[in-house]
Amino acid sequence: MSRTVTVTVGFDGSRESLAAVDWAAGEAVRRAAPLRILQVWSKDDDPRTRLVATATAQGWGERALGTAGRRLRRRHPGLRTETQWVCGDPVEELCAAADEAELLVLGSRGLGGLAGFLAGSVSLAVLARTRGPVVLVRPHNRPAAGEDGPAGEVVVGLDVSAPGDEVLAFGFAAADRYGCGLRVLHAWAVPSLYGADMGAALQLMWAEVAQDARRALDEALAPWTQKYPGVSVVRECRQGRPAQDLAEASRGARLVVVGRRNRRARIGTHIGAVTHAVIHHSLAPVTVVPHD
């Protein structure tokens, strides 16, 4: 299915979704794209709403959507905004919306006990199934009125063994659009079996691994630095812990970009351990980009 140049944001009236709406509006303005605010209601998901008639829920939702739309039009007078309320399965509806849009934006609590995990279950299911990029936004990522968001860099976490052009394309385009620098991070962990007391032969082996990784990173970046000569790129290729290093790099970052392989496991789709950890612990908004 072809995608339209539209930014779509999931909305449910929560603090997280309000932050996502504000972030998505700024992104739509930068992309010169319309913004679609989508609210999906499922009466079976919440025991408090099982006795609520669909027409009543639709009235509540459309009023909330109307308020959000009017507020955005005051903040962004030139922004084309569409609101839509649907009754259905949230994961199914959001995945369908993501397949039609250029970008899907969702609110996220991150990691925070049982409530946070349950609140994130829809987001995780959507992330595992969509074919397009999805951004997760926390409440503290919400830009204040008149602000354009943080002034930091875009951070891309890259696996040089399967870099994925889609991940780099998104990261470079974002940095170019924001007018900021790009930090590309590749980290690998030395097995604890070897530790700091590894012998000379093993040290030489890991030195060769590091050299190969740096070469692979340079090769992956070469076509993109040529395409975006105005984007300043910092390359980090080192031994470390990928998820932890990306979480640290998210401090002060404008956006963190990570990839997800399009593949199926025996128990269904999944998003990968590093990406899973990053979306829970990053302090900046996180974009998950599917790639082959």
Side-chain angles (χ1 to χ4, degrees):
M1 179 182 297
S2 62
R3 293 189 175 88
T4 58
V5 183
T6 303
V7 176
T8 297
V9 57
F11 175 77
D12 63 7
S14 67
R15 198 164 60 106
E16 293 79 16
S17 72
L18 288 169
V21 167
D22 283 342
W23 192 94
E27 188 69 13
V29 169
R30 281 186 290 272
R31 291 170 179 255
L35 176 69
R36 179 188 181 199
I37 310 173
L38 174 64
Q39 183 169 18
V40 184
W41 182 74
S42 173
K43 70 182 305 178
D44 295 329
D45 280 351
D46 189 337
R48 296 170 297 179
T49 63
R50 287 177 183 166
L51 299 179
V52 176
T54 301
T56 301
Q58 183 172 359
W60 292 344
E62 289 180 345
R63 282 193 293 273
L65 284 168
T67 300
R70 288 190 295 273
R71 174 175 166 276
L72 283 183
R73 284 188 284 272
R74 287 195 299 269
R75 295 185 65 175
H76 305 284
L79 177 63
R80 291 170 289 164
T81 304
E82 171 195 350
T83 60
Q84 183 179 10
W85 184 96
V86 297
C87 179
D89 179 83
V91 175
E92 295 289 342
E93 295 293 343
L94 288 168
C95 284
D99 287 342
E100 296 173 356
E102 190 174 70
L103 187 70
L104 176 67
V105 183
L106 300 174
S108 174
R109 292 183 184 177
L111 193 62
L114 182 61
F117 175 76
L118 291 175
S121 61
V122 169
S123 295
L124 290 175
V126 172
L127 284 173
R129 293 173 53 182
T130 54
R131 303 289 294 185
V134 180
V135 183
L136 297 182
V137 179
R138 304 279 185 84
H140 67 263
N141 301 139
R142 185 178 188 176
E147 292 185 359
D148 193 35
E153 61 194 356
V154 173
V155 175
V156 174
L158 196 67
D159 178 1
V160 297
S161 66
D165 282 343
E166 297 89 340
V167 179
L168 289 171
F170 191 97
F172 272 89
D176 184 62
R177 197 161 47 243
Y178 298 150
C180 68
L182 180 71
R183 182 175 300 272
V184 182
L185 172 62
H186 171 69
W188 69 94
V190 174
S192 58
L193 171 66
Y194 301 128
D197 297 326
M198 66 176 68
L202 286 175
Q203 288 181 346
L204 178 60
M205 180 188 72
W206 283 111
E208 292 175 350
V209 168
Q211 184 177 11
D212 290 343
R214 285 192 291 270
R215 185 183 302 113
L217 179 59
D218 289 340
E219 290 175 356
L221 292 178
W224 299 102
T225 55
Q226 292 175 8
K227 183 175 181 179
Y228 293 96
V231 174
S232 174
V233 180
V234 174
R235 307 162 194 236
E236 291 191 31
C237 188
R238 64 173 186 267
Q239 175 189 336
R241 299 179 181 274
Q244 181 178 324
D245 289 352
L246 284 168
E248 287 295 325
S250 74
R251 298 178 182 275
R254 183 161 194 153
L255 184 69
V256 174
V257 182
V258 290
R260 175 185 67 76
R261 293 286 298 274
N262 286 319
R263 60 187 178 187
R264 273 196 173 272
R266 286 180 297 177
I267 58 173
T269 54
H270 61 93
I271 60 175
V274 172
T275 295
H276 191 278
V278 170
I279 64 176
H280 280 307
H281 296 289
S282 173
L283 296 176
V286 179
T287 302
V288 180
V289 182
H291 64 92
D292 295 326

